[in-house]
Amino acid sequence: NTPSCVLLTAPPAAGKTTMVSQAVVVTLDESELVPIIVKVQKLQVRLRDQEKREIFSSAWNWIDAFLCLEHEPAVYRMLRQALMARRALLLIDGLDEGGQIRDEIERHVTEVLAPQGHIMLLTSRPAGISASGFEGFRRLQLSPLTEEQQQHVLRQRLGEEDAAKLQPYLERMPIDTETKQRVTSNPLMLSMIASVYELRKGIDMPRTVAELYSTASDAMLARGGAASPALRRLLQAVFFEAHVAQRRLIEDRQLDEAALGLDAPDELAAIRERAMASPFEPFEGRAEMGHYAEVVGGEHKGKRGVVTTDTADDRLRPYK
């Protein structure tokens, strides 16, 4: 049992990284632990660097090697002392962002870091996280914002009067099919609507969700200084690839396919043909959402695709 290890899951943009930042503040104020944030996205980049792989292989754990590469010697020595004394709080943010070596990173967390006795808070999107892989970890789930919390956020940001004016608009927002709550229960969506309201002060809010997304997208692109026709074209292609694959979470694969489809469609077609013809390596265990699979029986035998739905009931047709 590892009661000092916690796995926190929540959908995209639900506040996981914000909570990690708050954990740093609380830890510094109320405990003697040293908070150490490790972004899994950066960790996997370091691990995939063949020139640096030897550092990870010789270290007593990957966090120690990562800190050695990320920080100047004086800072690294201080953090290493905290690690060795088990006086560090490891905040490992974004387990789902481990890319091609995600499984390796998860195994290192459960088979090396946890047995070594480190205190850890891990965050991840729920997709792909198996209960069996984190047995003994305390499991927490970040809940969507309640209507009362949404109003509190808007009052703090817009003031009492404007928050009250915006309330009828929020009540017309669609219901999320997964959470069964309004889409504004997601902090990013709520912030987006508040931003649009501030931009359109004195003008009616967008009448449709599509118009709302369009306005918000234009604002975000303009703020980033990258609202070029080429970027818009690429984003449209990325969203199309994600829609065709029925993927709510956009990953490198959709970006790569969109870019190739726009500038080198023949090359993309050739890659897909080679992928369809290449044999699969054997896989032991149950297929999971996100896996690329081949149908081995029935009317669709021989066809391949990404697992997008799993009913978890093998008596039915569990997969889509």
Side-chain angles (χ1 to χ4, degrees):
N1 193 28
T2 53
S4 59
C5 300
V6 176
L7 174 61
L8 173 72
T9 59
K16 299 184 292 296
T17 300
T18 299
M19 185 170 180
V20 165
S21 300
Q22 296 219 345
V24 171
V25 175
V26 172
T27 302
L28 291 173
D29 284 346
E30 302 181 10
S31 81
E32 296 182 353
L33 294 174
V34 177
I36 299 175
I37 297 179
V38 177
K39 298 284 188 182
V40 173
Q41 189 176 42
K42 295 182 69 174
L43 174 62
Q44 65 99 6
V45 171
R46 291 290 196 180
L47 279 163
R48 292 175 63 187
D49 185 342
Q50 294 302 317
E51 294 181 2
K52 303 293 191 298
R53 190 71 187 207
E54 179 60 31
I55 297 175
F56 285 92
S57 300
S58 59
W60 65 301
N61 65 49
W62 287 355
I63 302 302
D64 179 60
F66 178 75
L67 296 175
C68 178
L69 294 170
E70 288 287 305
H71 299 287
E72 60 185 41
V75 175
Y76 163 64
R77 286 195 296 270
M78 183 272 289
L79 295 176
R80 189 172 195 270
Q81 286 181 339
L83 269 179
M84 296 188 73
R86 306 304 190 270
R87 291 186 53 251
L89 169 61
L90 297 183
L91 300 161
I92 302 178
D93 189 25
L95 272 179
D96 54 294
E97 298 175 14
Q100 297 177 351
I101 57 173
R102 171 178 168 175
D103 290 344
E104 289 183 59
I105 293 173
E106 289 184 6
R107 283 197 302 272
H108 190 82
V109 167
T110 57
E111 298 175 11
V112 177
L113 295 177
Q116 285 181 351
H118 299 286
I119 302 171
M120 293 186 286
L121 170 61
L122 319 171
T123 72
S124 176
R125 297 174 182 176
I129 290 291
S130 62
S132 60
F134 292 89
E135 287 183 359
F137 281 58
R138 294 184 184 274
R139 299 289 296 270
L140 300 177
Q141 184 174 352
L142 201 57
S143 299
L145 295 175
T146 65
E147 292 192 13
E148 182 179 351
Q149 289 170 330
Q150 293 173 44
Q151 277 301 303
H152 178 70
V153 169
L154 292 178
R155 284 196 296 269
Q156 283 193 316
R157 178 164 175 174
L158 304 175
E160 293 280 350
E161 183 178 347
D162 285 334
K165 289 180 181 178
L166 191 56
Q167 178 59 26
Y169 187 79
L170 259 62
E171 293 173 356
R172 300 202 303 270
M173 287 293 100
I175 302 297
D176 186 279
T177 55
E178 291 185 5
T179 65
K180 308 303 180 186
Q181 300 187 44
R182 286 195 187 92
V183 293
T184 50
S185 64
N186 179 286
L188 179 62
M189 285 294 301
L190 185 64
S191 178
M192 181 186 77
I193 288 175
S195 295
V196 171
Y197 179 83
E198 290 173 320
L199 285 171
R200 299 170 68 100
K201 207 70 177 285
I203 308 174
D204 289 341
M205 288 289 284
R207 296 181 179 276
T208 65
V209 174
E211 187 184 349
L212 172 67
Y213 285 176
S214 177
T215 302
S217 299
D218 288 343
M220 286 189 287
L221 289 171
R223 185 178 299 172
S228 67
L231 178 59
R232 291 175 182 274
R233 185 165 164 258
L234 177 60
L235 286 174
Q236 288 176 340
V238 169
F239 296 148
F240 176 76
E241 291 292 343
H243 176 72
V244 169
Q246 298 185 36
R247 299 282 292 174
R248 291 190 65 181
L249 306 181
I250 296 174
E251 300 174 336
D252 287 347
R253 173 176 174 173
Q254 283 78 43
L255 177 59
D256 292 342
E257 290 184 343
L260 278 173
L262 288 173
D263 293 329
D266 293 341
E267 185 176 345
L268 176 61
I271 291 172
R272 285 174 169 166
E273 285 182 12
R274 289 196 299 271
M276 287 297 293
S278 61
F280 276 0
E281 294 183 9
F283 174 79
E284 294 184 8
R286 196 174 190 281
E288 299 175 2
M289 286 193 294
H291 280 182
Y292 189 63
E294 179 177 331
V295 180
V296 295
E299 59 179 318
H300 300 296
K301 182 178 179 179
K303 292 189 176 180
R304 296 179 175 184
V306 176
V307 178
T308 58
T309 304
D310 179 10
T311 66
D313 188 346
D314 289 329
R315 295 170 299 177
L316 307 171
R317 288 187 174 180
Y319 298 113
K320 181 178 179 182

